[in-house]
């Protein structure tokens, strides 16, 4: 998302003008898939569907269409506000950003960003942050949390929103997303996994009157093995909502791509919740309904959001039901999905209403700021939802810090080390920590990227705050060029702070329109030169990087005086003390890179560069297939600067005594899926037109506020159309007949449950062989057997575990596992996950990094060995 106000100036376009598709490369097809499968067939949702469908059977047409749509941009306290059905006891639902905290409010926590969470490689912290996030969203009265983000996956190093997700690997991303969902939903908040799918760059993402949104052209196997993987795990964890991306896939806008929503998401992945559009991503009414969209956000038409009260749905949805175009069961299924998610999270029991207003921090304000005339009232009750969440935020910020280089054990610092500190990123933004709306600037300590995925800081504990709190002897030069008066001494330690920022497309920062166009992969504000100048004057230099992603560090990384380099990623509000704990060695660093650091952008295939302007629909063809990030570096034989998963410690670890145990025997094709359970019965009868009439004397909020009612005449005429000879031009391949069977790859949330059977349990003992306490990560990579007929990346991450803090000499045995799916490839012909060689010897590699594989367990031999040559 979202909030593309400037688009409103491009008004008066018709949807038809933007529907045109151009130049999708040969072979990429957006096939029709109809109808939208009814939800409710998964047993863990049965009770919620029972309650929801009872309610729906009692609701009027206008009540039902009211719940499927937002009431308009800025038409309520939250970034998204649905219509209500108060007679049935359903309030207007509040949907609110974002993935790292409650956006645009106060007394919230600004948690570390997703990429920072990924860098911890710590499943328990992923879950704990999810719980804390859920508590804050619930505390503010929010029904639907608009996170986590697992797409962008991070295919493009310059992509603007990679930092909102957990790293450039589907499995790391999947654990980050699924554990966040489990945490958020454990306290009754509906989580939203987003953005489905292949939403890998910011520029040209949206449909406008000038241009259709960018088309991500992805082959089926790549979609399944990379981009869909984290969504599958999110659905498996029971996520209540999925947000559709702005872009197209294979030329068809995701918000009306029937193959994507009806087939892949609802049939194959068995998604039981509801599908919402990204903000203004809906570009048709009937088309998107038939294609499986369940909720339109924020309710407006993408080209005319601020002008009138027009909507693709609301009253138009009522009309399209009355005139017989959209079948009643499609609407009923959507509303049932929305209410089932609401019941599933227990929101029918004492759920608090919103007590904040994302549009203002004043106590009082307009209730509908998007309306020209709006009643006013108390909109902010200033509820503090922080609890003790600063602790988990600090723990994540600390355990994410990734030590990339540490010559001769230069770090940790001694308490009395004399410090010269350089770079504006060491201290808070002098204009105020929240001076830029949605953090749309990069000034001072960089705790998060910009856009809808940001939150206001309640405070910023900066690195300088941290040094002060330690009474460290330091001199700070709050500038980004090298001062002439720093008076270097050989006993000084110099610490340089640098940043690289990115964000969402609706804000441009220093000529970067979301994506890192101008900044590229270099640190900002001449940081490379600052580091070189400091390294020239000082003998001992530590570089601290606050960054959204990969940077290129070749100009200075090998300088002998650059002794240590730390990535703090995007630490959130707890930037300072978390860093101090690492710098001074209270704890050993235990973060690991959630992506590969290249030596040059030439390391990458051209296809993962940003796409620029094109006449017509920009085409972004994923020709690199499975080969993104480390998968590419391995295949191309390119040695990166730092490998995926790299991260040093102040101590050392050994990996030993590994075992591998067969659990579920493999078969080349998974066991048959379970049959679909029953779904609610819906009437096919068109409701009476009177169910959509404006109630007499109804008091409208204002012209722009969207309602589901029709004028009596319009409703009656629509009802006449239903029996006339007027025919709607349904898309090719359209059918309203529910398919009795789902695809063989489906069967439960996330797919065929047999895919998630554990094939092998692996255990490994990690021993701290150094002299300081520390935590280690065991990363498990799978190498497919040789000689199979599928080209597969050399190694692929499939699981990981982090140890507790181990004292010197202490050991811990970690348990890992690989599932059937982990050992399968997506076969496009049979449309199923198949094990390419059941008896083949899979290499199960365990290491502390993708380039430091310590041992190999073989599935055929059933044994593990430490002295095997690494395949990469
Ligand atoms: C995109 O096109 C490819 C190639 O025809 C096809 O395999 C894939 O299923 C399509 N994906 C979607 C989401 O339509
Ligand atoms: C449906 O409406 C009937 C009649 O108004 C009422 O008795 C019943 O309790 C309602 N059921 C639900 C589930 O709201
Ligand atoms: C739709 O929601 C709005 C806002 O809550 C409300 O004013 C209106 O009465 C609702 N319509 C119906 C049919 O309940
Ligand atoms: C029914 O109404 C919808 C919404 O306005 C419209 O798109 C569709 O063309 C109408 N169908 C017919 C047959 O007129
Ligand atoms: C710091 O203190 C230790 C002993 O407490 C001493 O050995 C060391 O030389 C001191 N370092 C500096 C930079 O003053
Ligand atoms: C870890 O082991 C390496 C190689 O054996 C050694 O060079 C290094 O000093 C050790 N580091 C620590 C902190 O013990």
């Amino acid at each position: 998302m979202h909030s593309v106000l400037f688009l409103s100036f491009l008004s008066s376009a018709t949807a038809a003008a933007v529907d045109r598709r151009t130049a999708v490369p040969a072979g990429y097809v957006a096939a029709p898939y109809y109808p939208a499968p009814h939800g409710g067939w998964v047993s863990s949702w049965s009770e919620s569907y029972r309650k929801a469908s009872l309610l729906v059977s009692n609701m009027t047409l206008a009540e039902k269409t009211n719940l499927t749509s937002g009431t308009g941009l800025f038409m309520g306290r939250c970034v998204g506000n649905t219509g209500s059905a108060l007679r049935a006891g359903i309030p207007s639902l509040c949907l609110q950003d974002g993935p790292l905290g409650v956006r645009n409010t106060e007394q919230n926590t600004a948690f570390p960003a997703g990429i920072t969470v990924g860098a911890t490689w710590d499943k328990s912290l992923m879950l704990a942050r999810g719980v804390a996030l859920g508590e804050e969203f619930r505390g503010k009265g929010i029904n639907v949390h608009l996170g986590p983000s697992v797409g962008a996956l991070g295919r493009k190093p310059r992509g603007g929103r990679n930092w909102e997700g957990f790293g450039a690997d589907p499995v790391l991303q999947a654990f980050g997303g699924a554990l966040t969902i489990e945490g958020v939903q454990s306290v009754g908040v509906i989580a939203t996994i987003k953005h489905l799918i292949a939403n890998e760059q910011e520029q040209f993402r949206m449909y406008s009157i000038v241009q259709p949104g960018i088309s991500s052209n992805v082959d089926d196997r790549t979609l399944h093995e990379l981009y869909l993987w984290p969504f599958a795990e999110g659905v498996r964890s029971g996520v209540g909502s999925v947000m559709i991306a702005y872009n197209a896939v294979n030329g068809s806008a995701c918000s009306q791509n029937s193959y994507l929503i009806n087939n892949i998401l609802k049939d194959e992945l068995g998604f039981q919740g509801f599908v919402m559009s990204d903000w203004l991503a809906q570009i048709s009414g009937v088309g998107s309904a038939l294609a499986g969209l369940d909720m339109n956000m924020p309710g407006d038409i993408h080209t005319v959001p601020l002008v009138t009260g027009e909507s693709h749905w609301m009253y138009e949805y009522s009309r399209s039901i009355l005139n017989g175009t959209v079948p009643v069961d499609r609407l009923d299924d959507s509303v049932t999905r929305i209410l089932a998610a609401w019941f599933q999270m227990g929101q029918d029991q004492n759920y608090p209403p919103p007590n904040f207003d994302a549009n203002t921090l004043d106590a009082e304000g307009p209730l509908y700021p998007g309306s020209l005339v709006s009643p006013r009232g108390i909109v902010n009750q200033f509820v503090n939802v922080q609890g003790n969440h600063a602790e988990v935020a600090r723990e994540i910020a600390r355990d994410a810090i990734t030590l990339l280089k540490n010559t001769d054990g230069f770090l940790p610092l001694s308490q009395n080390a004399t410090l010269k500190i350089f770079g504006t990123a060491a201290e808070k933004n002098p204009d105020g920590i929240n001076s830029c709306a949605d953090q749309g600037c990069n000034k001072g300590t960089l705790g998060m990227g910009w856009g809808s995925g940001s939150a206001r800081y309640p405070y910023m504990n900066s690195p300088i705050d941290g040094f002060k709190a330690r009474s460290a002897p330091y001199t700070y030069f709050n500038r980004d060029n090298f001062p002439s008066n720093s008076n270097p001494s050989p006993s000084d330690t110099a610490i340089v702070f640098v940043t690289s920022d990115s964000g969402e497309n609706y804000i441009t920062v220093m000529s970067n329109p979301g994506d890192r166009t101008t900044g590229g992969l270099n640190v900002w504000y001449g940081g490379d030169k600052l580091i070189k100048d400091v390294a020239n004057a000082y003998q001992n230099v530590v570089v601290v990087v606050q960054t959204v992603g990969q940077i290129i560090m070749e100009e200075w990384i090998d300088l002998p005086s650059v002794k240590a380099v730390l990535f703090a990623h995007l630490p959130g509000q707890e930037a300072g003390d978390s860093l101090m704990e690492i710098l001074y060695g209270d704890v050993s660093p235990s973060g690991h890179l959630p992506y590969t650091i290249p030596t040059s952008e030439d390391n990458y295939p051209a296809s993962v560069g940003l796409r620029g302007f094109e006449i017509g629909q920009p085409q972004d063809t994923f020709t690199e297939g499975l080969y993104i990030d480390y998968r590419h570096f391995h295949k191309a034989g390119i040695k990166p600067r730092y490998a995926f998963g790299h991260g040093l410690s102040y101590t050392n670890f050994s990996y030993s005594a590994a075992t591998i145990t067969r659990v579920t025997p493999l078969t080349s094709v998974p066991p048959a899926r379970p049959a679909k359970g029953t779904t609610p019965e819906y009437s096919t009868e068109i409701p009476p037109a009177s169910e959509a009439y404006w109630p007499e004397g109804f008091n409208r909020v204002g012209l722009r506020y969207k309602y589901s009612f029709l004028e009596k005449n319009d409703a009656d005429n629509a009802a006449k159309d239903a029996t006339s000879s007027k025919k709607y031009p349904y898309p090719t391949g359209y059918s309203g007949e529910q398919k009795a069977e789902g695809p063989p790859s489906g069967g439960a949330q996330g797919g065929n449950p047999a895919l998630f059977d554990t094939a092998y349990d692996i255990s490994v003992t990690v021993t701290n062989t150094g002299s300081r306490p520390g935590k280690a990560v065991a990363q498990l990579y799978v190498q497919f057997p040789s000689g199979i007929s599928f080209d597969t990346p050399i190694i692929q991450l499939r699981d990981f575990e982090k140890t507790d803090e181990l004292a010197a000499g202490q050991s811990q045995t970690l348990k890992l596992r690989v599932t059937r799916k982990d050992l399968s490839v997506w076969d496009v012909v049979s449309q199923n996950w198949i094990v390419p060689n059941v008896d083949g010897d899979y290499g199960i590699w365990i290491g502390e990094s993708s380039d430091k594989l310590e041992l190999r367990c073989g599935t055929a031999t059933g044994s593990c060995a430490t002295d095997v040559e690494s395949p990469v």
Side-chain angles (χ1 to χ4, degrees), residues 51-121:
K51 291 179 190 159
S53 63
L54 268 178
L55 216 49
V56 170
S57 66
N58 251 11
M59 285 166 68
T60 65
L61 173 59
E63 286 168 340
K64 290 191 278 195
T65 49
N66 216 26
L67 290 180
T68 63
S69 179
T71 51
L73 209 51
F74 310 124
M75 286 298 184
R77 293 170 156 197
C78 307
V79 298
N81 308 277
T82 66
S84 61
L86 295 180
R87 199 185 57 92
I90 309 299
S92 168
L93 301 180
C94 162
L95 290 73
Q96 182 66 17
D97 298 308
L100 61 64
V102 186
R103 177 184 175 203
N104 273 348
T105 186
E106 42 69 76
Q107 299 184 75
N108 58 289
T109 302
F111 290 92
I115 201 69
T116 315
V117 180
T120 67
W121 294 67

Side-chain angles (χ1 to χ4, degrees), residues 295-557:
M295 185 185 280
N296 147 35
M297 276 292 149
D300 311 73
I301 291 184
H302 65 301
T303 49
V304 288
L306 288 185
V307 182
T308 62
E310 285 163 23
S311 180
H312 284 301
W313 277 7
M314 282 291 191
Y315 59 95
E316 284 301 345
Y317 206 163
S318 299
R319 193 194 324 268
S320 68
I321 293 287
L322 290 177
N323 72 14
T325 293
V326 176
V328 182
D329 71 318
R330 178 70 276 268
L331 174 62
D332 284 351
D333 172 60
S334 285
V335 181
T336 309
R337 284 172 174 274
I338 293 164
L339 294 180
W342 187 75
F343 282 116
Q344 185 81 351
M345 306 307 150
Q347 293 194 358
D348 55 321
Q349 305 291 323
N350 305 318
Y351 204 81
N355 52 43
F356 76 107
D357 191 326
N359 308 296
T360 177
L361 294 175
D362 295 341
E364 212 199 294
L367 302 181
Y368 313 101
S371 183
L372 291 179
V373 281
S374 166
R376 295 175 63 85
I378 300 294
V379 289
N380 272 310
Q381 278 110 317
F382 307 110
V383 176
N384 187 323
V385 293
Q386 295 163 324
N388 60 355
H389 303 153
E391 283 171 31
V392 67
R394 194 179 318 119
E395 209 178 324
I396 292 167
R398 181 191 73 197
D399 283 6
I401 292 174
T402 309
L403 179 64
L404 297 179
K405 174 179 179 178
N406 194 21
T407 308
D408 301 330
F410 181 76
L411 290 180
L413 300 173
S414 68
Q415 220 51 246
N416 55 0
T418 315
L419 307 178
K420 299 281 173 62
I421 299 171
F422 302 91
T424 55
E427 186 51 297
K428 293 178 270 291
N429 181 348
D431 305 338
I433 51 177
N434 294 307
S435 59
C436 303
D438 293 338
Q439 306 298 340
C441 61
N442 178 12
K443 281 188 94 172
T445 305
L446 182 67
M448 63 182 80
W450 73 78
S452 65
S454 67
R456 292 171 59 89
Y457 295 111
Y459 55 82
M460 164 55 80
N461 176 246
S462 72
I464 292 296
D465 291 334
F467 288 117
K468 277 185 194 153
R470 294 242 164 187
S471 307
Y474 75 89
T475 314
Y476 177 39
F477 302 92
N478 191 351
R479 49 196 285 185
D480 291 317
N481 51 15
F482 187 60
S484 57
N485 61 344
S486 81
N487 194 18
S489 147
S491 62
D492 286 342
T493 296
I495 307 184
V496 190
F497 288 83
V498 291
T499 63
S500 176
D501 200 2
S502 73
E504 192 172 356
N505 186 233
Y506 68 91
I507 301 175
T508 292
V509 178
M510 301 292 288
S511 309
N512 294 277
D515 301 318
R516 293 193 281 174
T517 54
T518 307
L521 301 191
N522 281 93
V523 291
W524 288 30
Y525 305 125
D528 291 317
K529 179 160 191 312
L530 176 64
I531 295 167
K532 285 189 289 186
D533 289 346
V534 172
N536 203 24
Y538 291 81
Q539 288 165 24
N540 296 307
V541 180
V542 177
V543 178
V544 178
V545 187
Q546 296 153 358
T547 181
V548 290
Q550 301 89 333
I551 60 164
I552 291 173
M553 42 177 79
E554 294 308 299
E555 287 182 44
W556 43 265
I557 188 68

Side-chain angles (χ1 to χ4, degrees), residues 535-843:
N536 203 24
Y538 291 81
Q539 288 165 24
N540 296 307
V541 180
V542 177
V543 178
V544 178
V545 187
Q546 296 153 358
T547 181
V548 290
Q550 301 89 333
I551 60 164
I552 291 173
M553 42 177 79
E554 294 308 299
E555 287 182 44
W556 43 265
I557 188 68
D558 280 333
L559 296 177
S561 52
V562 173
K563 292 287 176 8
V565 177
L566 291 166
F567 263 36
H569 306 282
L570 297 173
Q573 69 185 35
E574 302 295 329
D577 291 341
S578 58
L579 180 65
M580 297 306 123
E581 292 185 51
I582 298 294
L583 279 178
Y584 288 102
D586 303 356
V587 298
S588 293
S590 63
H592 290 259
L593 286 176
Y595 43 72
T596 303
I597 295 192
T599 56
S600 147
E601 276 195 272
D602 295 341
N603 290 170
Y604 296 106
S607 62
V608 306
L610 298 174
R611 302 297 305 188
F613 177 80
E614 287 171 39
I615 303 273
Q617 183 171 47
Q619 299 297 323
D620 188 7
T621 302
F622 291 34
T623 51
E624 75 288 343
L626 299 172
Y627 296 98
I628 62 166
D629 203 78
Y630 66 89
R631 290 164 169 81
H632 158 72
F633 281 80
H634 291 159
K635 181 185 163 98
I638 297 169
K639 190 173 154 40
R641 170 49 67 175
Y642 292 113
F644 176 83
H646 173 72
L648 302 172
S649 172
Y650 296 155
T651 187
N652 276 335
F653 300 97
S654 73
Y655 296 72
S656 64
T659 63
I660 179 166
T661 313
R662 174 177 299 185
V663 181
T664 308
L666 294 177
T667 46
S668 63
V669 177
R673 60 167 283 170
K676 264 187 170 183
T678 55
T679 56
E681 295 288 334
Y682 299 116
S683 164
T684 52
E685 211 164 304
I686 297 176
S690 58
E691 286 195 11
Y693 294 170
W694 282 97
E696 239 167 283
F698 189 85
N699 196 5
R700 296 185 66 158
V701 164
L703 191 59
R704 282 201 57 250
Y705 197 91
K706 284 133 190 60
Y707 288 99
S708 53
F709 301 118
L710 288 165
E711 298 299 338
K712 180 173 184 307
N713 252 353
D714 288 344
D716 292 345
N717 285 339
K720 276 183 210 138
D721 285 345
T723 54
S724 77
S725 58
K726 264 186 155 174
K727 284 283 161 282
Y728 182 81
Y730 288 100
T732 318
Y734 177 73
S735 153
E737 211 47 53
Q738 288 286 309
K739 296 184 192 351
E741 304 287 323
S745 53
Q749 292 184 93
N752 185 342
L755 295 173
F756 306 99
D757 289 345
T758 298
Y760 293 92
D761 276 328
I762 293 98
S763 75
V764 63
T765 299
V766 181
T767 305
N768 183 343
T769 57
S771 52
R772 306 178 69 99
K775 295 180 186 174
V777 174
Q779 305 174 17
L780 183 156
Y781 297 86
V782 165
Q783 179 184 22
F784 278 73
S786 53
I788 59 174
S789 57
F790 292 85
D791 182 35
T792 48
I794 300 176
I795 57 168
Q796 305 192 74
L797 183 74
R798 290 299 192 233
D799 199 8
F800 56 88
E801 283 296 337
K802 196 165 195 171
T803 65
D804 303 331
E805 184 170 77
L806 300 177
Q810 198 185 345
S811 297
Q812 184 179 352
T813 298
L814 298 177
K815 296 198 180 318
L816 301 118
R817 57 94 190 95
V818 286
T819 64
R820 179 191 305 272
K821 188 178 175 189
D822 291 333
L823 303 177
S824 300
V825 294
W826 177 255
D827 179 35
V828 302
V829 178
S830 63
Q831 290 287 297
N832 211 339
W833 292 95
I834 65 159
V835 177
N837 181 352
V838 171
D839 304 316
D841 194 38
Y842 283 84

